[in-house]
Amino acid sequence: MTEPLVLGIETSCDETGVGIVRGSTLLANEIASSVDLHARFGGVVPEVASRAHLEALVPTLHRALEKAEVKLADLDAIAVTAGPGLAGTLLVGVAAAKSYALALGKPLYGVNHMAAHAAVDILEHGPLPQPCMALLVSGGHSSLLLVEDVTSEVRSLGSTVDDAAGEAFDKVARVLGLPFPGGPHIDRAAKDGDPNFVPFPRGKADDGTFDFSFAGLKTAVARWVEARERAGEPVPVADVAAAFQEAVADVLTKKAVAACKAHGVDDLLIGGGVAANSRLRALAAERCEAEGIRLRVPRPGLCTDNGAMVAALGACLVEAGRTPSEPEFPADSSLPITEVLV
Ligand code: KG4
Ligand code: ZN
């Protein structure tokens, strides 16, 4: 069989993503984001996001087809994020994907968003090593996954017990008066700051688990900034951003490397929006090299939510000969990571 032509639809949060791949070759990755509509609320408003997906989905899909220079009839399969994510936004993508699949008579794969964040790397660095360790960090999740085979066997080793890493970036940015979403702004501000300015707490860093905690760190930063403001002193935004970012990157990379060593895994993959962070990427590269671990991080545009990642996982599933989802499969906002395909 020639490599499958797969359309992927992603609507789990505020990005309407439509991607088209042929096997591990990326043909199109079109995105319409509703992030500007949420900015003044300091976080994603689910109902607003759902409405935006409804309006953006069909035009985004048409743009993707044009970009890839293919027709709907040419597709071998359709894949869609079935969960986890926001219940209402997932529903828009799942309903659209079912409609297209039914009308076109194409097989449909309802897939796990987290597994798709790992699978996307095939588009940049080729087939995933088996096994590989995946550190997935975004606004909604922070997880360490042992990926034996991205089409069937994904095990959760740990996840955040409170805030996701990206959520901490967004909340700390707010405290520092930086716009939403805060990650990229903190990343930029930190370039002129001192990472050792304040030794902010590294939650759960040495507790021997593969879980994370960022709520204490976020609160410590807020308290520090408040105290400074109360004293009538200026807040050194660049230094606080750098010291906060250092604490996050330190814990994430330390646990990821420890997980690789504990499970005898030689390949670490980092994905999700926070994987776009320059300090996380640099520190991960440094620590992996010191431990003889190969590091794979997709380019930032493939790390944040997009349709290509869903198409990539769809292509892996088609190539592995997996049975498509039943037509009545549900959108599941709390889909467990062990369920790669519903
Ligand atoms: O994967 P993603 O696009 O959506 C979710 O599934 O949540 O991740 C979005 C998150 C936001 O919290 C954003 O602040 C964070 O990723 N982010 C970053 C950077 N770029 C995006 N965090 C740190 N540094 C960045 N450069
Ligand atoms: Zn995501």
Side-chain angles (χ1 to χ4, degrees), residues 15 113 117 138-141 166-167 169-170 181-184 187 272-274 276-277 303-305:
E15 250 85 62
H113 179 83
H117 266 305
S138 75
H141 28 76
E167 203 178 343
F169 269 95
D170 296 340
D187 198 343
V274 179
N277 185 264
C303 286
T304 45
D305 288 352

Side-chain angles (χ1 to χ4, degrees), residues 103-275:
L104 298 162
K106 306 287 182 189
L108 176 61
Y109 296 81
V111 306
N112 193 300
H113 179 83
M114 303 290 283
H117 266 305
V120 72
D121 198 49
I122 67 165
L123 303 177
E124 194 156 356
H125 300 113
L128 294 187
Q130 291 182 335
C132 82
M133 193 62 68
L135 170 68
L136 300 182
V137 276
S138 75
H141 28 76
S142 304
S143 294
L144 258 173
L145 307 175
L146 179 56
V147 183
E148 288 285 348
D149 171 355
V150 77
T151 68
S152 61
E153 270 209 68
V154 178
R155 226 173 94 199
S156 174
L157 300 181
S159 59
T160 181
V161 297
D162 40 55
D163 291 355
E167 203 178 343
F169 269 95
D170 296 340
K171 288 176 177 168
V172 165
R174 200 170 179 177
V175 166
L176 293 175
L178 299 171
F180 174 84
H185 296 281
I186 290 196
D187 198 343
R188 225 166 292 136
K191 295 213 189 308
D192 304 317
D194 173 7
N196 301 312
F197 183 66
V198 189
F200 286 124
R202 270 77 165 150
K204 296 183 82 58
D206 300 304
D207 70 348
T209 73
F210 297 122
D211 288 328
F212 303 102
S213 167
F214 297 106
L217 167 62
K218 170 198 72 186
T219 307
V221 175
R223 293 282 170 278
W224 193 92
V225 170
E226 278 160 25
R228 194 80 176 204
E229 285 168 341
R230 254 199 317 277
E233 290 170 31
V235 175
V237 172
D239 289 330
V240 176
F244 159 76
Q245 180 174 272
E246 191 66 19
V248 177
D250 183 22
V251 187
L252 289 176
T253 52
K254 193 182 250 178
K255 292 227 171 188
V257 167
C260 288
K261 290 175 77 176
H263 291 269
V265 173
D266 296 329
D267 294 87
L268 172 66
L269 163 67
I270 309 185
V274 179

Side-chain angles (χ1 to χ4, degrees), residues 16-69:
T16 310
V18 181
I20 300 176
V21 303
R22 190 181 296 282
S24 58
T25 307
L26 177 63
L27 301 183
N29 190 20
E30 293 297 313
I31 293 170
S33 176
S34 64
V35 69
D36 293 345
L37 300 177
H38 311 292
R40 69 191 171 102
F41 302 104
V44 176
V45 184
E47 285 307 313
V48 172
S50 301
R51 169 60 59 122
H53 283 303
L54 267 181
E55 289 171 2
L57 206 141
V58 174
T60 307
L61 190 142
H62 285 157
R63 279 209 312 279
L65 291 169
E66 263 169 45
K67 185 77 192 284
E69 297 181 354

